[in-house]
Amino acid sequence: MWDDAFPSFLIGLREGLEAGLIVSILVATLVRAEARSRLPQVWTGVLAAIAVAMSFGAVLTFTAASMPQTAQEAFGGTLSVIAVAFVTAMVFWMRRSARNLSSELKQKVTGALAMGSGMLVLTSFLAVGREGLETALFLWTTAQAAGESAGPLTGAAIGLVLAAGLCWGLYRRVLKINLTKFFTATGVVLIVIAAGVLGYGLRDLQEGGVLPGRTAYAVDLAGSIDAGSWYSTLVQGVFNLMPTMTWLQVVAYVGYLVVVMTLFVRGVRATAPKPKPEPAERPAAEAPAGPRPRTGRRPAWVIPTAVVAVPAVIAGLAVALGRPKPAGDQTVAVSETDCGKGFTAPAPGRQTFRMHNTGRQASEVYLVDPSTNAVYGEIEGLAPGTTRDLVATVAGGTYAWRCVPASGRAVTSKPVTVRGGGAAKPVTPVSEQDLAGPLKAYKAYVGHGLDTLVGQTGTLRRDIEGGHLDKARTDWLAAHRTYASLGAAYGTFEDFDKKIDGRADGLPGGEHDKDFTGFLRLEYGLWHGQSAKELTGPARQLDTDAAGLRKAFPSQDFDPGDLPLRAHEILENTLQFELTGDTDEGSGTNLATADANLTGTRELLTVLEPLLTSRSPRLLPTVDADIDRVRKLLDAAHDGDHWTPVEKLPAADRQRLDGATGQLLEDLAPVPDLLEIRKSA
């Protein structure tokens, strides 16, 4: 979050200091002119400027959220480019104007005093409003680039608070800073940040189809950079430099940086003419105090309330009128006999449909292309008499509703045709027959692994029976790694998994409970000084249970639909138990188990590869790179059969491993949805 906060902190500090200095000078000028009664007019203009800036930010946020995905990309990219233009103009303007800011404003205030209250309000509004609009636009674009708003908003808030404190100190003459040097230094940093925002904005325009070259990559380091590392997060958060960048992004980034930085630095080095000395202030008696405020005409709160309410109302109208009419105005009926009643062709884009179950059974509902059965959106378990929203992106094509009741045949509505452009990404459905081949291959892999496991548990039993405990520790690790590579996640092996690899958690006696059996029971005994006699019983029980699993596995019920879940679930267990050291019973080999889990995950992906490649061609290359990254980190943590315990890993190494595994899990997340079996009859 703090990496995303820095650019916003800097813009909040600069813009806040600039606006604060303007307000300070306005207030000081009025005070020196003995026109304190006119201060509310200054604060009214400031309040109006803040209200307009916040309303502008709301319009940007809520209007963009109602757009289709491609339109959001184009909208965000366009505003990013505009924000870069504003920031660039701002840094050059402040470089030129920092010296003479005070004298220029004093002249404007003196003129406004003579022209009445309206001009004073307008002067303060215009002076602060520009900074407010620039800040709102830049914050919106940095939040878009970061993918979240907490960091940018936090950074901006800290910067604005600090700027307010500095301005108060300067007004009270507590602080003295060289504004020219300050704005020059921050200008250099902002130019670098703006180059990154420009690159991000152009990428958005490419994603939105406005600019070409979407897949023309100049840099593609996704497979060789640790996305979870601190340095990668810092570079991406502060500079918007991504591991993968197109040629357009790279050329624009370098070109902007070279040209703008050169012009800025040359301007700084140029000898600026000395500013003319400010005219001596007139005595207070000669200062135009302006007409006295009229009394009895209106309450003092009317104008401040109006300047806040009017921008808010206008922003609300802009958001309401700017949103396309949602397809959610259509209430679509779902039942065992009548599916899709009330459905008419929606406009292209992101739409919300209100699905109401008028039947007597719970039903699954799919928005499909009836010619290919591709799925654009779905609701599972829509109960009778209930209404839920289904959000989907539609483009030009043919659409229909398919309602699948809990019992009975599926019902498909009449198709409608949507005309227009845009792009939508449906999911090609998977049947049990599609998964039959991968399931057969995976069961063969597990069966072969169980044969190996039974041989290894037999060796382990004989080691312990013979009193060879040092050898037993080595053979225990080999057998446990074999079992961990078979993907025993979430009940794959039914009750056998608890017997073979169950934990002591929850047992009344903990590690000494009679029901604590399997690998972890032997691990506890082997690494806590128990004798061969004490361990013989648990070793024989483990050998018996492994043999029982091998015999039972061919007839165990394995739902084909569970197969795509395993790739994600195995590594969820790894992150939850192994990489936390939670299952360590003394051997310190959690990372060895994690390495074996990685082997099982790769095997699952191998058997699922044909189905995944046809549905998401870029997914497996990304996941393979993630797996290689995690494996390299694990390989660095062992020497032969000795593995570094999780708790003894250096903090930086542990963070990298957790980050890489988290990234792998994130990239694996689409697998269950891509390969979910959806009912069609």
Side-chain angles (χ1 to χ4, degrees), residues 362-388:
S363 182
E364 295 182 6
V365 187
Y366 304 109
L367 179 63
V368 301
D369 180 341
S371 62
T372 64
N373 290 323
V375 178
Y376 291 87
E378 63 183 304
I379 293 178
E380 296 183 356
L382 182 62
T386 61
T387 302
R388 283 162 60 186

Side-chain angles (χ1 to χ4, degrees), residues 57-237:
V59 170
L60 291 179
T61 300
F62 294 108
T63 303
S66 67
M67 295 178 176
Q69 184 63 35
T70 53
Q72 286 186 39
E73 302 282 3
F75 181 71
T78 301
L79 288 183
S80 294
V81 174
I82 293 173
V84 170
F86 277 162
V87 170
T88 306
M90 178 260 292
V91 296
F92 279 95
W93 180 81
M94 283 307 299
R95 189 201 67 198
R96 293 193 307 269
S97 305
R99 299 172 184 271
N100 304 314
L101 184 63
S102 176
S103 59
E104 290 179 7
L105 278 172
K106 286 178 181 178
Q107 293 174 8
K108 291 180 180 178
V109 173
T110 302
L113 279 170
M115 297 180 69
S117 61
M119 285 304 299
L120 193 58
V121 171
L122 183 62
T123 299
S124 59
F125 171 78
L126 293 176
V128 178
R130 192 193 69 170
E131 279 71 36
L133 293 175
E134 288 178 352
T135 303
L137 180 57
F138 196 83
L139 282 179
W140 188 86
T141 56
T142 52
Q144 290 291 105
E148 54 96 16
S149 58
L153 289 178
T154 301
I158 294 173
L160 289 170
V161 169
L162 182 58
L166 289 172
C167 289
W168 180 86
L170 290 169
Y171 177 76
R172 303 295 298 179
R173 297 184 179 179
V174 175
L175 301 175
K176 289 185 178 181
I177 62 174
N178 187 317
L179 293 180
T180 302
K181 291 182 178 180
F182 173 81
F183 285 120
T184 298
T186 55
V188 170
V189 180
L190 275 178
I191 288 171
V192 176
I193 293 174
V197 174
L198 177 62
Y200 174 83
L202 293 177
R203 178 60 177 168
D204 268 358
L205 291 173
Q206 289 179 312
E207 293 285 348
V210 177
L211 295 177
R214 177 180 175 181
T215 58
Y217 296 111
V219 179
D220 190 356
L221 303 176
S224 56
I225 290 181
D226 182 5
S229 64
W230 67 268
Y231 56 84
S232 178
T233 304
L234 180 66
V235 170
Q236 292 182 50

Side-chain angles (χ1 to χ4, degrees), residues 589-604:
T589 58
N590 281 113
L591 297 184
T593 305
D595 185 69
N597 291 156
L598 209 59
T599 299
T601 299
R602 190 183 283 278
E603 182 63 31
L604 269 168

Side-chain angles (χ1 to χ4, degrees), residues 128-417:
V128 178
R130 192 193 69 170
E131 279 71 36
L133 293 175
E134 288 178 352
T135 303
L137 180 57
F138 196 83
L139 282 179
W140 188 86
T141 56
T142 52
Q144 290 291 105
E148 54 96 16
S149 58
L153 289 178
T154 301
I158 294 173
L160 289 170
V161 169
L162 182 58
L166 289 172
C167 289
W168 180 86
L170 290 169
Y171 177 76
R172 303 295 298 179
R173 297 184 179 179
V174 175
L175 301 175
K176 289 185 178 181
I177 62 174
N178 187 317
L179 293 180
T180 302
K181 291 182 178 180
F182 173 81
F183 285 120
T184 298
T186 55
V188 170
V189 180
L190 275 178
I191 288 171
V192 176
I193 293 174
V197 174
L198 177 62
Y200 174 83
L202 293 177
R203 178 60 177 168
D204 268 358
L205 291 173
Q206 289 179 312
E207 293 285 348
V210 177
L211 295 177
R214 177 180 175 181
T215 58
Y217 296 111
V219 179
D220 190 356
L221 303 176
S224 56
I225 290 181
D226 182 5
S229 64
W230 67 268
Y231 56 84
S232 178
T233 304
L234 180 66
V235 170
Q236 292 182 50
V238 175
F239 302 108
N240 282 313
L241 289 176
M242 303 301 171
T244 303
M245 296 181 69
T246 64
W247 278 107
L248 179 60
Q249 286 180 279
V250 172
V251 170
Y253 181 91
V254 175
Y256 174 89
L257 201 58
V258 170
V259 173
V260 176
M261 189 68 78
T262 301
L263 293 174
F264 185 79
V265 172
R266 282 182 179 176
V268 171
R269 292 177 177 175
T271 303
K274 294 183 180 181
K276 297 179 181 179
E278 296 182 21
E281 295 183 10
R282 290 183 294 174
E286 299 179 15
R292 292 182 177 272
R294 299 177 183 178
T295 58
R297 297 293 299 274
R298 67 175 69 88
W301 55 267
V302 171
I303 293 179
T305 302
V307 299
V308 173
V310 170
V313 170
I314 294 174
L317 291 173
V319 170
L321 298 176
R323 292 189 179 204
K325 186 178 179 181
D329 290 346
Q330 301 180 29
T331 297
V332 182
V334 176
S335 74
E336 303 90 322
T337 57
D338 191 5
C339 180
K341 184 177 180 180
F343 178 48
T344 58
R350 189 171 178 83
Q351 306 291 358
T352 302
F353 303 92
R354 296 184 59 79
M355 311 306 297
H356 179 62
N357 191 339
T358 60
R360 297 182 179 180
Q361 296 186 45
S363 182
E364 295 182 6
V365 187
Y366 304 109
L367 179 63
V368 301
D369 180 341
S371 62
T372 64
N373 290 323
V375 178
Y376 291 87
E378 63 183 304
I379 293 178
E380 296 183 356
L382 182 62
T386 61
T387 302
R388 283 162 60 186
D389 287 348
L390 185 150
V391 180
T393 300
V394 299
T398 305
Y399 298 85
W401 291 104
R402 179 163 295 148
C403 305
V404 185
S407 61
R409 297 183 61 83
V411 180
T412 303
S413 71
K414 292 182 179 179
V416 300
T417 300

Side-chain angles (χ1 to χ4, degrees), residues 534-595:
E534 292 175 287
L535 295 174
T536 296
R540 289 174 178 173
Q541 183 64 49
L542 174 61
D543 192 26
T544 299
D545 290 336
L549 174 59
R550 179 180 62 175
K551 182 178 179 180
F553 178 71
S555 60
Q556 284 182 336
D557 185 23
F558 199 130
D559 187 344
D562 287 344
L563 192 61
L565 297 172
R566 291 293 175 260
H568 197 270
E569 291 171 347
I570 293 170
L571 288 178
E572 277 186 339
N573 277 358
T574 303
L575 191 61
Q576 181 179 359
F577 300 122
E578 308 305 336
L579 297 187
T580 59
D582 190 55
T583 55
D584 184 16
E585 292 289 355
S587 69
T589 58
N590 281 113
L591 297 184
T593 305
D595 185 69

